[in-house]
Amino acid sequence: MHSFAKRRRPLSLLVTAAALLPNVAAAAPPPAPKLIVVISVDQFSADLFAEYRSRFTAGLKRLSQGVIFPAAYQSHAATETCPGHSTILTGNRPARTGIIANNWFDVNLDRPDQRVYCAEDEGVAGSSSENYTVSPVHLKVPTLGERLKSADPRTRVVSVAGKDRAAVMMAGHTPDQIWWWKGRGFVSYADRKPTPAVARINAQTDAEIGRAAPSPPLPPGCQARAQAIRVGLEKEVGVRLPPREAGDATAYRTSPSFDAETLALAAGLAVEMKLGQGQGIDILAIGLSATDYVGHGFGTEGPEMCLQLMHLDRELGLFLAKLEKQRVPFVIALTADHGGHDAPERNQLRAAPDAQRTADALDPGSLGAAVAADLGLEGFVFTGDGPAGDLYVSASVPKDKRDVVIANARKRLLAQPQVEAVFTRDELGAAPKAILPPDEWSLLDRAAASFDPARSGDLVVLLRPHVTPAPDTGATIATHGSPWDYDRRVPLLFWWPGVTGFEQPLPVEIVDIAPTLASLVPLSIAAGEMDGRCLDLLASAESNCR
Ligand code: ZN
């Protein structure tokens, strides 16, 4: 580790360089943060950022005046919440973090439910993927916070999120404080007691959920987006966020109040713990989940998302102001775990006639039954979490039949008009390292970045673009998770007080965040330990990446 001061050039050199290169701005030193704040806005796609960017007036406007990468990639294929959060602070893709999906299957797991949740400890007796004990045990690599703590035990790591998997994957294995939402308030690991800030926010939130709330009024710019869209037989979206009944915590979670409380808790802990005022460098990770719940429940292009993003902008502005009052040098990085796209019913009306929902034939149960009938096999042949992603050959299939089962299923899947590609575990295991920028990656490159030989399926199914793997009868009407750029591409914004902003439209990766933040400390990372690279955040000839 070399000291920060050592990297600054002597003044005389700067003067000489500036005289020789009159078009180069005077070199600014990199920021020297005492507090690193990383914010993940769940399902905040690059498309949403572009669409609303000119409309932001508060926090997101200020952050947009920093160093902007409008095309940052969650470069892997399985663009879900858990893998996406596992890349943000580890500098590694899911193939190395081990977090290949929100859920995977362990066909040898000795419990009735062979589905494994990414942030559970299935070693706890009596657990299932639905009723689990939250744990970081599946995360195979350290986070930036853990690395900072190893280098200097005075570092503190704080993680707060609307979802347990977001909080856990950004915190890593040794957080000082970690809080995620469950039921009607923020909870933590069994041995953690609520701090005064946690107790205060939880009491406030509980009282708010206890009261009924009218439909929040649409901000002026969102009213023009109101257009009723029929989804299936039962549901209509596109008009407004519905009113909330007293006690309805699910509706609360799908409203701007949810992010407001999450940010209030993050700010409360920052004040309470005096983050950035100690001897070490502190990390505050924040996962804001309401955008994802609104996207799933109402799609991305209606007035509901407009309302959500306008509130998010406002709340981030209030959060920034609170942070500035602490008078500690800080750096913020804001990004997302994945992107998303709109419900097929609205897309069909809006120049995307190929938008559609998945056919029943792709369901692992239906596929398995067809394969079993072809081959004269009995029982469940396949297990998997849905029509796309990882498919596992059941343990009941005889070893000498596995290859023929896989070949038969692949042929059947490729005959489906909604399937774009099917890879086997052998193909994914042998895939060469991707060398092009992430927007130019092949589908094999993308799927290989999500591949872990111990956890991935025997087959990985990728759907065609604009195919939504959700029925029109459930609470989720729009989703993400595909290998396509609308799900992979997210904004990445770096900001600190006094930043000289610039924009770099060329693609970067979310795994670049950790090595970039490490360079500001500076904390050295051994070559090859991270998939990402350090991004030069200084517009001048000076660089933070040395
Ligand atoms: Zn997500």
Side-chain angles (χ1 to χ4, degrees), residues 363-434:
D363 175 73
S366 312
L367 172 74
V371 172
D374 273 359
L375 302 176
L377 294 168
E378 306 245 323
F380 289 107
V381 174
F382 277 109
T383 222
D385 218 12
D390 295 87
L391 272 180
Y392 302 77
V393 177
S394 303
S396 61
V397 172
K399 276 215 156 29
D400 62 341
K401 290 276 195 275
R402 288 178 60 88
D403 288 350
V404 62
V405 162
I406 288 169
N408 185 293
R410 180 170 154 121
K411 203 171 136 205
R412 285 187 159 274
L413 283 163
L414 287 172
Q416 292 289 331
Q418 292 184 329
V419 172
E420 176 70 24
V422 180
F423 297 115
T424 63
R425 62 165 43 249
D426 290 346
E427 288 166 339
L428 293 168
K433 195 171 157 33

Side-chain angles (χ1 to χ4, degrees), residues 211-366:
R211 291 188 292 270
S215 174
L218 289 179
C222 298
Q223 285 159 9
R225 291 172 169 265
Q227 179 194 357
I229 302 290
R230 171 69 59 185
V231 178
L233 296 172
E234 308 264 303
K235 196 161 180 178
E236 189 178 82
V237 299
V239 180
R240 58 178 190 162
L241 213 54
R244 191 180 76 232
E245 286 175 25
D248 187 347
T250 305
Y252 175 84
R253 222 174 51 169
T254 315
S255 79
S257 306
F258 192 30
D259 288 346
E261 294 297 0
T262 310
L263 283 167
L265 177 55
L269 287 168
V271 172
E272 184 175 86
M273 298 174 72
K274 296 188 165 58
L275 293 182
Q277 297 173 50
Q279 297 300 308
I281 291 171
D282 297 328
I283 287 213
L284 174 59
I286 306 169
L288 301 176
S289 310
T291 304
D292 186 65
Y293 289 123
V294 170
H296 283 306
F298 300 94
T300 57
E301 297 304 317
E304 303 94 337
M305 182 60 85
C306 182
L307 173 96
Q308 162 60 19
L309 292 179
M310 293 299 106
H311 278 264
L312 175 68
D313 176 38
R314 181 171 162 268
E315 294 301 332
L316 283 169
L318 296 171
F319 173 76
L320 266 181
K322 285 183 196 168
L323 212 52
E324 284 172 317
K325 258 176 88 179
Q326 293 301 99
R327 303 198 167 279
V328 297
F330 66 92
V331 168
I332 290 193
L334 182 141
T335 190
D337 55 341
H338 50 75
H341 82 313
D342 204 10
E345 291 78 6
R346 188 160 39 215
N347 267 333
Q348 286 162 11
L349 300 176
R350 298 184 178 182
D354 61 339
Q356 57 195 279
R357 295 183 183 278
T358 38
D360 291 344
L362 292 172
D363 175 73
S366 312

Side-chain angles (χ1 to χ4, degrees), residues 42-43 80-81 163 292 337-338 480:
D42 202 312
Q43 205 186 129
E80 296 183 336
T81 297
K163 296 181 182 176
D292 186 65
D337 55 341
H338 50 75
H480 50 83

Side-chain angles (χ1 to χ4, degrees), residues 177-217:
Q177 289 290 336
I178 178 166
W179 295 92
W180 62 85
W181 182 263
K182 187 180 181 188
R184 249 175 106 140
F186 290 93
V187 299
S188 188
Y189 296 131
D191 60 342
R192 312 289 176 110
K193 296 278 167 290
T195 72
V198 175
R200 190 178 68 242
I201 298 295
N202 275 348
Q204 202 172 298
T205 310
D206 193 70
E208 192 180 340
I209 293 174
R211 291 188 292 270
S215 174

Side-chain angles (χ1 to χ4, degrees), residues 25 49 52 59 67 75 93 123 125 154 161 179 184 186 254 280 324 360 365 387 389 404 436 443 453 474 492 521:
F49 177 65
Y52 285 95
V67 178
S75 45
R93 300 176 189 131
R154 295 171 302 182
W179 295 92
R184 249 175 106 140
F186 290 93
T254 315
E324 284 172 317
D360 291 344
V404 62
L436 290 172
L443 285 180
L492 172 55
V521 174

Side-chain angles (χ1 to χ4, degrees), residues 4 28 38 58 83 108 128 151-152 182 237 254 287 291 299 306 348 395 417 425 438 448 479 486 543:
F4 177 68
V38 176
N108 298 309
S128 71
D152 181 349
K182 187 180 181 188
V237 299
T254 315
T291 304
C306 182
Q348 286 162 11
R425 62 165 43 249
T479 195
Y486 48 78
S543 173

